[in-house]
Amino acid sequence: MLMLCTTSPNQSWVSPSSYQYINPNPLKPRFIFFRPNSRTSLFGAKFRVPATTLAGTTHRKNADKNVKIGVLCELGNLKEAVEMVCGSESSDLDSAAYCSVLELCAGNKSLKDGKRVHSVLCEHGVNVDGYVGAKLVFMYVHCGDLREARRVFDALSDRKVFLWNLMINEYAKVRDFREGVCLFGKMVECGVELNSYTFSCVFKCFAALGCVREGEWVHGYLYKLRFGSDSNVVNSLMAFYFKNGRVESARKVFDALRERDVVSWNSMISAYVSNGAPEKGIEIFREMVWSGIDVDLATIINVLMACSDCGNVVLGRVVHGYAMKGGFDVDVALCNSVLDMYSKCGDLSDALRVFEKMGRRSVLSWTSMIAGYVREALSDKAIELFCEMETDGVIPDVYTITSILHACACSGSLEKGKDIHKYIREHDMDSSLFVCNSLMDMYAKCGSMEDADSVFSHMPMKDIVSWNTMIGGYSKNCLPNEALELFSDMQRKFKPDSMTLASVLPACASLAALDRGQEIHGYLLRHGYFLDQYVANALVDMYVKCGVLILARVLFEMIPVKDLISYTVIIAGYGMHGFGKEAIAAFNEMTKAEIEPDSISFISILYACSHSGLVQEGWRFFDIMRNDYKIEPMLEHYACMVDLLARTGNLTKAYKFINMMPIEPDATVWGSLLCGCRIHHDVKLAEKVAEHVFELEPENTGYYILLANIYAEAEKWEEVKKLRERIGRRSLKKNPGCSWIEIKGKVNIFVAGGTSHPDAMKIESLVKKFRSRMKEDGYNPKMQYALINADEVEKEVALCAHSEKLAIAFGILNTPPRKTIRVTKNLRVCGDCHEMAKFISRTSRREIVLRDSNRFHHMKDGNCSCRGFW
């Protein structure tokens, strides 16, 4: 029935969405049915409406409801639209209305309303196998209910490719990559026609899972389907190969691409940079420019990152200039990249210029500048900038906090570090594992292990970095027992990695805990950690300091690629054990390998020369360091040269050398000469030198004891008494003599004069037995080392109670015959103990390895490796 449209002056046209098109034949004219205005009646009050007209009226009412829902959805009125859907009868609404509401639910992420609409669909028995079903899946995905989305998806018989892609992509977003790959497999089985977005989605999953073989299969499949020229697909494929470290495969894909867009070039540059090959990223950038491709902001940022990583400040400046000409320099992200590039390349002046010119500085800008100062060892400047940042009202993030904590660690600014810790607590940042690890590292490097332990104990979660930081902190702060104890605790919760082993081995070295060190050696061999350079070097150092130089040398030779640290460790090891010529041979081997020595390696070789009495060789290396390598001598180098001259009896030359030094000598330099005075019994010079030492380090009792030894050897007991009184007036405490020996993995400690050990009676008896046999052989005890002016019996008792004698005797009582005795002492071994150890090595037919604070003494058959140089 054709209804004519009449309009009155007060009647408005209805919206286009309120009419239906009836076009049974495209060649015939269309008839348009308009919804009448509520204020206009087309029929008289008494007009009888036929049944067909009533049906039409119902149809129009339904159409009106659909239209109203559509309008509500367009206006974003979700609440009323959902209420209309829920209040409708099963036949009232068409699929378009349901789809509109579901789309609005998805846009508003209103899962509750979406579920209500789904419930209505089920109640009304609406077929959801078409467009409505797709909208349902879309709604559940966008509202975060992936499980329900999958249930609806699986029930659909007609699943378009965009739905498969949507589901695979969503699984990738929630990191359920395996399910994404499984869904892709089902998609292929069902014969769904794949598109470029499908491959982009699935390559994300393959990249995350490391499924190289499967990815290569899909690579071949996409070429079979002729997607090889699609830049989006190829970009995803390259990203997949790069993510799995298949750089060459990605490059082949890139080279085969005929039409490369800017995204392809940017992907290659970014991928090379992220895979640690910034130079290759720069090469790609040059090819891109030569190819005439216009660079965009992403290109510039990627190239600046490459310049940062490889230190190419020249190219960085060129790119910076290009960015300024192109008007990119107004972008904050670019300015931060430029700032970071200058900072990492060590050009802080240009970095500061960029920083000061920035109109708006983000937290990243401040952090980059702070980190730059820290890298250049300008920790105080970094701390100043952090304070300025706080004044400027910029809230630091985790990276800022960790950077400033690193600055405090490098400068030893414990108080400032504690202020930062207070800030962290006040702003609830102490839940961050990254921040807590940095806090512990700061406290450890500032020497406050109690504070580090407090942070460690209160951490809700710990990772392996947390344990390694604490173990390494204990090792470096001369707390080896705590380091080993924590290492044992860690093994119950975490599997040690290479950093753990490199941190705990120095603790074994410090204690000379050979048995424990050998256990760790076995562990690292079983797990292949010896190939790690740091671990290998730490293992060699451990054996050196445990006195097993032969094994240290064997392991040194086994290191596949030796670095400067490897050679420095073995050179220092030879020096500690008194093998100066072998140390020189290792140094020459290092230079032949074209490894350039640094100031530390020169300290090691000069130390080796001084402990072997190699005067000419020592002067030669000192000159080589200054002239050939242009290394300015530090106090440690001068101390080694003074020690070399003093040990060999050139006391006057040593004194003149000190007075001619271009830098002010410290207590270590004067102390080296004082040691030489003791060896060569020059009391007069010792007194003159001692005054310099006491002035520089008035609290160090070790130098007072050294001078007392010199007086005692000259039997100047009155001077010894005066020194004791001087120590008493200053309330100084002498470090007690302490020695330790490891038996069956347990470290046994002995203190001078101590009688608390369970085997004290047996130990004392054995020491007296050795002393009697020494006298029978004609040896006269060196009573002056008792450091008391008493009768011979009292001096004898005092000497027999020295800690190293007690430890050696304990070792003989508790180890099988012929087993090497290894003892460590915290102070320099005295002359009497040195002689007794040599005697015991001969009579017991045992090798005794005695490590004091200065060097190793290998006693065998009555001889010592030090040859008197200690």
Side-chain angles (χ1 to χ4, degrees):
M1 174 180 179
L2 176 62
M3 299 180 68
L4 299 175
C5 178
T6 62
T7 58
S8 63
N10 64 346
Q11 184 179 5
S12 60
W13 288 94
V14 294
S15 66
S17 60
S18 62
Y19 54 74
Q20 293 179 325
Y21 296 101
I22 301 177
N23 188 16
N25 191 325
L27 298 177
K28 293 183 179 181
R30 296 176 182 173
F31 298 102
I32 303 174
F33 289 83
F34 287 99
R35 178 165 53 88
N37 188 283
S38 59
R39 288 172 293 183
T40 305
S41 177
L42 298 180
F43 308 103
K46 296 180 181 179
F47 188 83
R48 190 165 186 148
V49 183
T52 53
T53 306
L54 288 173
T57 303
T58 304
H59 181 73
R60 284 195 299 277
K61 284 182 180 179
N62 292 345
D64 186 49
K65 192 174 284 189
N66 287 319
V67 168
K68 192 169 183 181
I69 290 172
V71 171
L72 288 170
C73 289
E74 284 180 14
L75 295 172
N77 193 337
L78 178 62
K79 186 178 179 182
E80 285 192 33
V82 172
E83 290 304 327
M84 280 197 73
V85 169
C86 294
S88 302
E89 297 296 329
S90 60
S91 60
D92 288 355
L93 304 181
D94 59 18
S95 61
Y98 288 116
C99 290
S100 297
V101 177
L102 287 170
E103 189 166 350
L104 189 56
C105 290
N108 289 4
K109 296 189 183 301
S110 178
L111 181 62
K112 182 181 176 182
D113 289 321
K115 283 187 173 181
R116 287 181 70 191
V117 175
H118 188 186
S119 177
V120 170
L121 286 168
C122 294
E123 287 173 10
H124 292 171
V126 177
N127 181 17
V128 296
D129 199 31
Y131 195 45
V132 176
K135 281 293 179 183
L136 259 179
V137 175
F138 179 81
M139 181 275 295
Y140 278 120
V141 164
H142 278 263
C143 291
D145 193 341
L146 186 55
R147 181 177 295 179
E148 192 62 26
R150 180 61 183 271
R151 193 182 68 79
V152 175
F153 175 82
D154 288 341
L156 299 176
S157 59
D158 183 21
R159 292 172 286 190
K160 303 297 182 184
V161 66
F162 77 89
L163 272 183
W164 290 90
N165 293 345
L166 176 69
M167 293 298 295
I168 295 170
N169 190 54
E170 194 61 25
Y171 278 121
K173 280 184 182 177
V174 298
R175 304 189 67 78
D176 191 353
F177 302 110
R178 293 196 179 280
E179 193 57 37
V181 170
C182 289
L183 202 58
F184 173 74
K186 289 179 181 178
M187 185 179 183
V188 174
E189 284 176 15
C190 292
V192 179
E193 188 176 341
L194 312 180
N195 62 17
S196 60
Y197 193 66
T198 313
F199 291 108
S200 299
C201 293
V202 79
F203 276 129
K204 285 181 190 174
C205 298
F206 283 140
L209 293 171
C211 300
V212 178
R213 185 179 297 175
E214 292 83 351
E216 287 176 334
W217 178 84
V218 176
H219 179 183
Y221 189 57
L222 70 86
Y223 275 108
K224 184 180 177 181
L225 297 177
R226 301 180 183 277
F227 281 100
S229 59
D230 188 300
S231 59
N232 290 327
V233 173
V234 173
N235 291 339
S236 301
L237 180 59
M238 288 193 299
F240 155 73
Y241 277 126
F242 270 116
K243 183 84 173 176
N244 286 283
R246 302 289 291 270
V247 180
E248 292 307 315
S249 297
R251 184 59 191 265
K252 286 176 183 176
V253 172
F254 176 76
D255 290 340
L257 187 60
R258 292 179 183 177
E259 295 183 10
R260 304 166 187 163
D261 59 9
V262 68
V263 177
S264 308
W265 291 94
N266 289 347
S267 298
M268 283 300 296
I269 297 167
S270 175
Y272 271 127
V273 174
S274 59
N275 278 272
E279 293 87 356
K280 292 210 171 184
I282 290 170
E283 283 179 22
I284 294 292
F285 170 65
R286 290 195 173 108
E287 286 182 39
M288 178 181 181
V289 173
W290 292 333
S291 300
I293 306 295
D294 289 333
V295 302
D296 60 7
L297 182 60
T299 316
I300 294 171
I301 290 174
N302 284 329
V303 175
L304 285 170
M305 286 173 62
C307 294
S308 299
D309 290 351
C310 65
N312 192 339
V313 72
V314 176
L315 179 61
R317 283 198 185 94
V318 172
V319 175
H320 181 197
Y322 180 87
M324 291 176 71
K325 288 178 183 177
F328 293 113
D329 58 328
V330 295
D331 187 88
V332 177
L334 177 83
C335 289
N336 287 336
S337 297
V338 171
L339 172 60
D340 191 57
M341 181 274 295
Y342 283 127
S343 170
K344 287 180 178 175
C345 290
D347 190 347
L348 287 184
S349 57
D350 277 343
L352 189 59
R353 271 194 286 273
V354 173
F355 180 74
E356 289 173 345
K357 287 180 181 178
M358 289 177 72
R360 184 168 65 89
R361 298 170 188 160
S362 67
V363 66
L364 183 59
S365 318
W366 291 90
T367 305
S368 294
M369 203 67 220
I370 290 168
Y373 280 130
V374 175
R375 272 190 295 271
E376 295 300 310
L378 297 170
S379 300
D380 293 335
K381 285 270 189 185
I383 293 169
E384 282 176 26
L385 195 64
F386 179 76
C387 296
E388 189 183 329
M389 174 184 175
E390 286 186 290
T391 307
D392 215 39
V394 179
I395 299 172
D397 62 8
V398 169
Y399 299 103
T400 319
I401 292 296
T402 52
S403 293
I404 200 64
L405 284 172
H406 187 53
C408 295
C410 293
S411 62
S413 304
L414 180 60
E415 290 308 312
K416 185 61 185 176
K418 286 186 175 182
D419 289 341
I420 304 296
H421 190 179
K422 184 180 177 183
Y423 179 92
I424 289 166
R425 283 196 298 264
E426 288 173 352
H427 292 80
D428 295 324
M429 297 177 78
D430 48 359
S431 60
S432 167
L433 186 63
F434 196 35
V435 169
C436 288
N437 288 342
S438 297
L439 257 177
M440 288 189 298
D441 183 63
M442 181 275 294
Y443 280 127
K445 285 176 179 172
C446 289
S448 182
M449 286 308 298
E450 287 184 12
D451 287 313
D453 182 62
S454 175
V455 175
F456 182 75
S457 301
H458 289 91
M459 287 174 69
M461 288 184 64
K462 303 176 182 75
D463 63 359
I464 195 162
V465 176
S466 316
W467 291 90
N468 290 348
T469 302
M470 285 299 294
I471 292 168
Y474 280 130
S475 288
K476 289 170 186 173
N477 283 283
C478 303
L479 296 166
N481 286 309
E482 288 82 352
L484 288 171
E485 187 178 338
L486 195 64
F487 176 66
S488 298
D489 291 343
M490 175 192 171
Q491 286 179 290
R492 288 189 278 271
K493 296 161 187 164
F494 278 93
K495 182 180 177 182
D497 64 3
S498 59
M499 191 56 69
T500 318
L501 302 175
S503 299
V504 76
L505 282 168
C508 298
S510 180
L511 286 172
L514 181 61
D515 290 349
R516 194 66 188 277
Q518 286 178 323
E519 287 176 15
I520 295 170
H521 183 186
Y523 178 89
L524 68 89
L525 283 179
R526 288 193 299 273
H527 293 83
Y529 285 123
F530 186 74
L531 296 175
D532 185 284
Q533 194 82 48
Y534 293 105
V535 174
N537 291 338
L539 187 63
V540 172
D541 185 60
M542 185 275 293
Y543 278 115
V544 161
K545 289 174 180 172
C546 287
V548 192
L549 189 59
I550 294 173
L551 187 51
R553 179 70 202 197
V554 170
L555 289 169
F556 170 78
E557 294 295 346
M558 288 171 63
I559 297 175
V561 181
K562 302 174 185 67
D563 60 6
L564 179 61
I565 296 172
S566 313
Y567 279 103
T568 302
V569 165
I570 201 69
I571 291 165
Y574 278 131
M576 289 174 70
H577 290 268
F579 297 101
K581 290 182 178 178
E582 288 80 356
I584 291 171
F587 188 92
N588 292 336
E589 184 184 325
M590 176 179 73
T591 54
K592 283 179 183 175
E594 296 183 351
I595 296 173
E596 188 171 309
D598 63 359
S599 59
I600 306 300
S601 50
F602 272 109
I603 291 172
S604 298
I605 193 63
L606 291 174
Y607 175 92
C609 291
S610 71
H611 280 260
S612 298
L614 303 173
V615 181
Q616 290 182 351
E617 290 85 347
W619 277 115
R620 182 169 65 85
F621 283 115
F622 189 72
D623 291 336
I624 287 171
M625 178 183 70
R626 289 186 303 174
N627 302 327
D628 294 359
Y629 292 98
K630 308 300 179 187
I631 296 174
E632 199 62 34
M634 299 185 297
L635 283 168
E636 292 86 350
H637 299 107
Y638 286 113
C640 287
M641 293 309 296
V642 171
D643 192 57
L644 174 61
L645 292 169
R647 284 178 186 278
T648 53
N650 297 295
L651 300 178
T652 306
K653 283 185 180 180
Y655 188 73
K656 287 180 180 178
F657 180 81
I658 293 173
N659 289 321
M660 291 173 65
M661 280 171 55
I663 53 178
E664 195 68 28
D666 66 352
T668 306
V669 175
W670 286 111
S672 297
L673 181 53
L674 190 60
C675 289
C677 292
R678 184 191 68 80
I679 295 168
H680 298 285
H681 313 292
D682 192 331
V683 179
K684 189 175 179 181
L685 182 59
E687 289 175 332
K688 193 188 296 185
V689 171
E691 288 309 313
H692 288 289
V693 177
F694 297 156
E695 186 181 343
L696 290 166
E697 289 189 10
E699 307 299 317
N700 192 333
T701 55
Y703 292 118
Y704 291 95
I705 302 302
L706 184 56
L707 183 59
N709 274 307
I710 294 169
Y711 283 137
E713 287 177 352
E715 297 188 351
K716 292 194 171 188
W717 300 112
E718 190 62 33
E719 300 301 328
V720 173
K721 182 182 177 183
K722 287 179 183 177
L723 262 182
R724 286 184 177 278
E725 289 172 355
R726 188 172 177 179
I727 292 171
R729 284 195 303 272
R730 290 180 173 271
S731 301
L732 301 176
K733 291 184 179 179
K734 176 184 179 292
N735 290 330
C738 171
S739 298
W740 57 91
I741 181 172
E742 185 192 30
I743 305 289
K744 294 179 181 178
K746 183 184 176 183
V747 177
N748 300 270
I749 302 171
F750 296 88
V751 180
T755 57
S756 60
H757 196 279
D759 294 335
M761 296 292 290
K762 292 180 182 179
I763 293 166
E764 184 183 348
S765 174
L766 184 60
V767 171
K768 287 180 178 178
K769 181 180 176 182
F770 279 122
R771 175 66 81 190
S772 298
R773 291 181 64 179
M774 284 179 73
K775 287 181 179 178
E776 289 172 8
D777 279 9
Y779 172 77
N780 294 317
K782 297 187 177 182
M783 298 299 185
Q784 66 269 29
Y785 292 108
L787 285 183
I788 54 173
N789 186 15
D791 60 34
E792 297 300 303
V793 175
E794 286 181 80
K795 288 182 179 179
E796 181 79 20
V797 170
L799 284 174
C800 287
H802 279 195
S803 63
E804 54 266 57
K805 290 187 179 79
L806 303 178
I808 291 169
F810 179 78
I812 289 173
L813 289 169
N814 290 277
T815 56
R818 305 276 181 169
K819 185 174 176 64
T820 301
I821 306 293
R822 302 178 189 279
V823 172
T824 307
K825 186 178 181 182
N826 65 330
L827 304 174
R828 195 185 297 258
V829 63
C830 83
D832 187 70
C833 291
H834 190 263
E835 289 303 314
M836 180 175 255
K838 288 199 297 182
F839 177 81
I840 293 172
S841 74
R842 179 167 58 84
T843 55
S844 66
R845 294 183 181 180
R846 293 198 189 218
E847 184 179 356
I848 296 174
V849 180
L850 176 58
R851 180 181 128 193
D852 68 8
S853 62
N854 202 38
R855 62 166 300 149
F856 273 92
H857 302 267
H858 290 259
M859 282 90 164
K860 190 175 182 181
D861 299 328
N863 298 308
C864 181
S865 63
C866 73
R867 301 185 299 280
F869 288 100
W870 96 91

